[in-house]
């Protein structure tokens, strides 16, 4: 299987692809909204600490499983197992992750579709097609079905081409665009009245809130979602990395990019909210908290853009294109999890597997759209609040308790000969064995 399954052709290719998976709506939408609803800078501070202290070690565990196994999540974990029970456990964890990725994609595609329709709306207005523009930003079955399908088609189009020609090539194109657009928008917002106050709210932590349990839990959940943990995705990406690479530093770089982009997104959105306020838009709810959730991106920001006149059309277009790109580099990773499983375990051709699974997930999305009130929130919480943390925890258990320590060391040593004497090797094994599973377990238990 080795050669034919493909892999990333370069370090940079992997970094951009994994960062592409990690950086998504979770960073540009989720992180700022969570920051807004959890007291601003205190949340940012806690998030930074948890991302590096808990999410990064768990992320390393998943990358290592994949690179060791050189296969999809199920086969990789089964390769580490010695007894029949361990193999069964491996199947449950690996397959659970794949199902979780598919479920996440089924709702993620819907939200990404909204981002695309909001990106096209300013173009319609520029072309004086106001009715079409209105249809694009109003909830309707036809719009949701059309744009979710379009987004899924894009995702399928990229994943059909495989790792190097699909994932890597498109991540290399889209990620720099995303970062460039983000910085341009921040600079622009910085010049507007009211942004100063937003910067203050974002950067000046109220230390007394740092230990609030709800804040801690939201921050940890956000960190896990953001690094795409517990969904087999980082296992499969890990399996495409060459044995010559130093995983410890690659993982750290991806975490750093992910966290930095979330931080930058906050630097855009929180000040933008205060600019909106300076223009008369209500940004505080009745109870005095900042408005967050869907309203923020789909109401507050568009109102802000509308207030800018003609420039606003371009800014709105830039912003929603940014959102769509971020969503696309993530959705391709979600589809890759199930596709690699079917290709490797059931000997199906990649093109065929991609189209079949993509259409199946699109069908799930359509079912959600048709039963929106009932299913949308349910699928989100089943997959992200319960599924992801649980599976991420089991991956840590796997690495900490089932995989033999000597084998773990041998795998980390590939491409990183000195690791045995490093701080990483002194702390990390112990960390994945005890600290990560208990911390994740605690959050999980609390969310029940
Ligand atoms: N990390 C992405 C974000 O922040 C979401 C994501 C991408 C994801 N791939 C995933 C989440 C796989 C779970 C599983 O938006």
């Amino acid at each position: 299987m080795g050669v034919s399954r493909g892999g990333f052709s370069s370090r940079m290719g992997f970094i951009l692809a994994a960062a592409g998976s990690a950086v998504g709506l979770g960073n540009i939408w989720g992180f700022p909204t969570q920051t807004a609803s959890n007291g601003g800078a205190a949340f940012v501070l806690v998030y930074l600490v948890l991302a590096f202290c808990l999410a990064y070690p768990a992320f390393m565990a998943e990358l290592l499983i994949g690179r060791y196994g050189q296969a999809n999540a199920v086969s990789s974990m089964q390769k580490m197992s010695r007894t029949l029970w361990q193999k069964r456990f491996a199947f449950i964890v690996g397959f659970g992750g794949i199902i979780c990725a598919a479920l996440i994609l089924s709702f993620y595609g819907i939200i990404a579709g909204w981002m695309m329709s909001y990106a096209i709306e300013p173009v319609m207005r520029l072309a004086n097609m106001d009715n079409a523009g209105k249809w694009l930003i109003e909830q309707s079955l036809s719009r949701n079905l059309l744009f979710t399908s379009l987004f899924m088609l894009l995702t399928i189009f990229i994943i059909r081409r495989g790792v190097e020609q699909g994932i890597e090539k498109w991540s290399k194109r889209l990620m720099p665009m995303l970062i460039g657009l983000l910085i341009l928008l921040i600079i622009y917002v910085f010049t507007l009245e009211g942004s100063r106050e937003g910067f203050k709210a974002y950067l000046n932590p109220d230390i007394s809130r740092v230990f609030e349990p709800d804040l801690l839990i939201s921050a940890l959940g956000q960190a896990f979602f953001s690094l795409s943990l517990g969904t087999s995705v980082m296992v499969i990406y890990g399996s495409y990395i060459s044995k010559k690479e130093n995983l410890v530093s690659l993982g750290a770089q991806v975490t750093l990019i992910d966290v930095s982009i979330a931080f930058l997104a906050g630097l855009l959105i929180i000040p933008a909210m205060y600019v909106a306020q300076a223009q008369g838009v209500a940004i505080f709810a009745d109870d005095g908290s900042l408005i967050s959730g869907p309203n923020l991106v789909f109401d507050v920001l568009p109102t802000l853009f509308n207030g800018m006149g003609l420039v606003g059309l371009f800014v709105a277009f830039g912003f929603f294109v940014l959102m769509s790109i971020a969503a696309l580099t993530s959705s391709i990773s979600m589809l890759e999890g199930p596709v690699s499983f079917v290709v490797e375990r059931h000997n199906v051709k990649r093109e065929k597997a991609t189209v079949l699974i993509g259409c199946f997930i699109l069908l799930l999305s359509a079912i959600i759209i048709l039963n929106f009130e009932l299913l949308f929130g349910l699928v989100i919480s089943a997959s992200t609040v319960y599924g992801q943390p649980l599976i991420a925890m089991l991956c840590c258990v796997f690495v900490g308790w089932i995989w033999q320590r000597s084998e773990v060391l041998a795998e980390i040593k590939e491409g990183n000969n000195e690791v045995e004497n490093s701080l990483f090797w002194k702390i990390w094994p112990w960390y994945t064995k005890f600290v990560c599973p208990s911390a994740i377990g605690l959050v999980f238990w609390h969310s029940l």
Side-chain angles (χ1 to χ4, degrees):
M1 207 186 287
V3 182
S4 65
R5 62 190 296 276
F8 294 112
S9 71
S10 65
R11 268 193 92 122
M12 204 53 197
F14 165 74
I15 293 178
L16 289 180
S21 165
V23 174
L25 301 178
N27 299 59
I28 307 186
W29 180 18
F31 178 76
T33 23
Q34 294 255 24
T35 304
S37 54
N38 281 297
F43 181 83
V44 180
L45 193 68
V46 173
Y47 177 78
L48 292 179
V49 173
L50 292 182
F52 283 104
C53 295
L54 279 173
Y56 167 65
F59 177 40
M60 283 308 301
E62 295 195 11
L63 286 180
L64 275 167
I65 295 175
R67 198 179 62 169
Y68 171 78
Q70 291 291 302
N72 64 82
V74 174
S75 309
S76 290
M77 279 194 238
Q78 287 189 331
K79 197 168 160 191
M80 297 158 37
S81 319
R82 275 153 292 141
T83 66
L84 182 64
W85 278 106
Q86 288 176 355
K87 284 206 192 313
R88 288 195 180 143
F89 182 50
F91 184 84
I92 295 174
V93 178
F95 195 67
I98 288 168
I99 298 292
C100 200
L103 283 179
I104 293 178
L105 183 52
S106 71
F107 78 78
Y108 207 82
I110 301 176
I111 305 178
W114 298 339
M115 300 296 171
M116 281 178 26
S117 64
Y118 270 73
I120 301 177
E121 189 260 351
V123 181
M124 289 296 168
R125 265 198 289 157
L126 210 57
N128 277 327
M129 297 169 66
D130 285 353
N131 279 341
K134 226 166 144 215
W135 175 76
L136 284 168
I137 56 170
E138 270 168 10
Q139 284 289 356
S140 69
L141 267 185
S142 52
R143 182 206 63 173
N144 287 347
L145 287 173
L146 179 70
F147 278 89
T148 306
S149 310
L150 276 179
F151 183 79
M152 275 306 289
L153 283 179
L154 279 178
T155 308
I156 293 174
F157 171 78
I158 296 179
I159 286 300
R160 285 181 61 223
R161 310 294 311 273
V163 186
E164 213 185 313
Q165 288 304 311
I167 302 175
E168 180 169 348
K169 185 161 145 194
W170 282 92
S171 301
K172 276 185 177 162
R173 288 182 182 165
L174 296 175
M175 285 304 284
M177 264 170 77
L178 179 123
I179 297 174
L181 264 175
L182 190 58
I183 294 176
L184 280 180
L185 286 170
I186 293 174
I187 296 175
Y188 180 67
V189 166
F190 190 68
T191 63
L192 301 177
E193 193 197 323
S195 61
R196 288 281 146 77
E197 206 186 325
F199 283 114
K200 254 192 237 143
Y202 186 55
L203 298 174
N204 205 353
D206 172 1
I207 299 291
S208 67
R209 295 200 55 178
V210 162
F211 294 106
E212 283 177 13
D214 284 345
L215 188 150
L216 286 169
I217 284 164
S218 311
L220 189 63
Q222 174 64 28
F224 273 75
F225 181 75
S226 191
L227 275 173
S228 314
L229 299 179
T231 57
S232 79
V233 162
M234 290 305 179
V235 176
I236 189 72
Y237 274 25
S239 78
Y240 297 141
I241 305 176
S242 140
K243 294 267 186 190
K244 294 194 202 80
E245 299 292 352
N246 177 341
L247 271 194
V248 177
S249 80
L250 278 183
Q253 287 174 51
V254 172
T255 310
L256 195 65
I257 297 180
D258 181 46
V259 167
S260 312
I261 295 195
F263 184 77
L264 279 180
L267 215 48
L268 168 67
I269 303 229
I270 307 284
M273 290 179 78
Y274 282 81
V275 172
Q277 188 190 33
Q279 298 184 356
V281 181
I283 63 165
F284 290 99
D286 289 340
D287 63 359
S289 61
L290 273 174
I291 289 181
S292 52
N295 289 358
L296 174 60
V297 169
F298 296 115
D299 284 346
V300 176
L301 294 180
T303 320
L304 169 71
F305 301 146
N306 285 343
M308 295 173 180
L310 193 61
V311 186
L313 288 181
F314 292 95
V315 179
F317 175 72
F319 177 77
F320 285 108
V321 167
L322 174 84
M323 289 296 225
S324 309
I325 293 176
L328 187 60
T329 55
S330 295
S331 67
I332 55 180
S333 76
M334 293 175 211
L335 186 55
E336 180 63 16
V339 166
S340 60
F341 174 77
V342 171
V343 168
E344 292 175 4
R345 305 271 295 201
H346 299 286
N347 238 333
V348 181
K349 281 232 157 44
R350 175 175 268 274
E351 282 82 10
K352 192 169 157 198
T354 312
V355 174
L356 280 177
I357 298 174
C359 290
F360 175 71
I361 295 177
L362 181 57
L363 187 69
L364 288 184
S365 305
I367 296 176
I368 298 178
I369 291 173
L370 293 170
N371 302 280
F372 198 81
E373 297 296 319
L374 180 69
L375 290 180
F376 188 64
L378 196 71
V379 175
I380 294 185
S381 56
S383 54
T384 65
V385 182
Y386 302 110
Q388 265 194 293
L390 187 67
I391 291 164
M393 177 174 84
L394 294 177
C395 283
C396 290
V397 169
F398 224 93
V399 170
W401 297 87
I402 295 182
W403 201 3
Q404 276 172 338
R405 200 180 148 95
S406 55
E407 283 184 354
V408 182
L409 179 61
E411 183 55 49
I412 303 193
K413 266 183 148 175
E414 302 264 4
N416 188 2
N417 231 329
E418 308 298 306
V419 77
E420 212 169 341
N421 305 315
S422 69
L423 189 65
F424 181 84
W425 185 249
K426 290 200 179 78
I427 300 176
W428 179 82
W430 170 82
Y431 224 83
T432 17
K433 197 162 181 165
F434 299 105
V435 180
C436 290
S438 6
I440 304 170
L442 202 71
V443 172
F444 186 69
W445 180 66
H446 197 278
S447 60
L448 289 176

